[in-house]
Amino acid sequence: RQHPVALRSLRSGTFVTCVSLFRFLMTRTAPPGGINMDINLPHECALELYHNALSMCSGQVRTCLAEKNLAFEGKHIHLIETGWYETVSPEFKKINPGCTVPVLVHNGHPVYESYDQIKYVDAHFHGPSLRPDAVKDQVDFWHDHCSLRGDIFDPENQRKRMGACIVGLSLPIFASMIQDIGISKILWGLLRHPNKERPVLFLLMKALGARIWLLPPLRKLMVV
């Protein structure tokens, strides 16, 4: 029988190895933020939003569209934790090669990156200002401060942004949800996802469950 300390060390070492692996495998294929006038997508409404009900970034855009009182056609796209990797399906890659939601489509032209979508809506549609001139710098600061950006394992980035806590707080929830997802669906995503670290992390969640946050590298995300 393995000693508990040795077992924890083995798990920690395995996790560090996997982190290094999926950092090595990381590829960034997301299109630049803002509207892409050179892309024309089939559309039925002037405004369409490809989103997920549990996506925080999708919720921000939905809230801002509601604040502007704008009608839009919602197209719900599944993430692996809500059923399957629809975001890496060939059909959705035509909408966003970066395989992320939300995507706002205006007259067939996609707008990528949630905050760019918010700024686009604010600049091009009537309604209450989402970034009034008097507080625009503060709005931009707090959005950046609360966003998940950069290397989540970088201590400096963790100290700089409150958004770094999102990973530590949500991991146990995602790890519990992923238990209901077949491993074949995660492997399907691993083969097709442009950012391999994501499905690798979900495989670890599948194996360890909510205990994943007990691994020392992830515990650091909880105490920064």
Side-chain angles (χ1 to χ4, degrees):
R1 185 177 180 180
Q2 288 182 295
H3 192 278
V5 174
L7 183 59
R8 285 196 297 270
S9 298
L10 176 62
R11 287 177 175 174
S12 179
T14 301
F15 179 79
V16 171
T17 300
C18 289
V19 167
S20 301
L21 175 62
F22 70 60
R23 278 177 172 172
F24 175 75
L25 292 172
M26 283 171 66
T27 54
R28 299 299 176 187
T29 60
I35 192 165
N36 287 257
M37 297 299 296
D38 57 331
I39 300 177
N40 288 281
L41 300 173
H43 59 285
E44 300 175 354
C45 301
L47 274 179
E48 297 180 342
L49 183 68
Y50 293 82
H51 67 110
N52 181 274
L54 297 184
S55 160
M56 181 184 69
C57 293
S58 295
Q60 292 177 3
V61 177
R62 289 194 303 266
T63 299
C64 290
L65 289 171
E67 183 71 14
K68 284 282 192 179
N69 197 29
L70 295 173
F72 66 94
E73 177 73 19
K75 298 180 180 293
H76 192 266
I77 303 297
H78 276 291
L79 304 172
I80 185 60
E81 58 267 29
T82 62
W84 70 290
Y85 256 131
E86 189 176 1
T87 49
V88 300
S89 65
E91 293 77 15
F92 187 73
K93 281 185 175 181
K94 296 176 182 178
I95 307 298
N96 182 6
C99 304
T100 59
V101 290
V103 178
L104 182 69
V105 178
H106 184 207
N107 292 327
H109 303 300
V111 186
Y112 300 118
E113 298 297 330
S114 59
Y115 199 46
D116 287 315
Q117 294 166 26
I118 292 171
K119 291 189 288 186
Y120 180 85
V121 166
D122 199 27
H124 291 84
F125 294 93
H126 296 295
S129 176
L130 303 174
R131 300 163 66 238
D133 290 338
V135 294
K136 183 176 294 185
D137 290 343
Q138 295 181 49
V139 173
D140 290 342
F141 168 80
W142 280 107
H143 183 273
D144 181 75
H145 185 63
C146 296
S147 296
L148 182 59
R149 299 177 184 272
D151 186 349
I152 62 173
F153 296 101
D154 179 17
E156 180 61 31
N157 188 53
Q158 293 171 11
R159 287 189 289 268
K160 183 179 179 181
R161 291 186 173 87
M162 188 169 64
C165 72
I166 294 171
V167 176
L169 293 174
S170 61
L171 268 179
I173 300 173
F174 286 150
S176 296
M177 295 171 65
I178 212 70
Q179 300 309 308
D180 294 325
I181 306 299
I183 193 168
S184 61
K185 292 185 177 181
I186 305 175
L187 293 174
W188 185 88
L190 179 62
L191 293 174
R192 293 165 176 80
H193 207 298
N195 301 326
K196 303 299 184 185
E197 78 277 11
R198 295 187 181 185
V200 168
L201 185 57
F202 283 123
L203 285 172
L204 282 172
M205 291 182 188
K206 183 73 173 177
L208 298 176
R211 294 172 300 169
I212 190 171
W213 74 273
L214 295 174
L215 295 174
L218 284 179
R219 286 187 66 83
K220 292 180 180 179
L221 298 178
M222 303 285 287
V223 299
V224 168

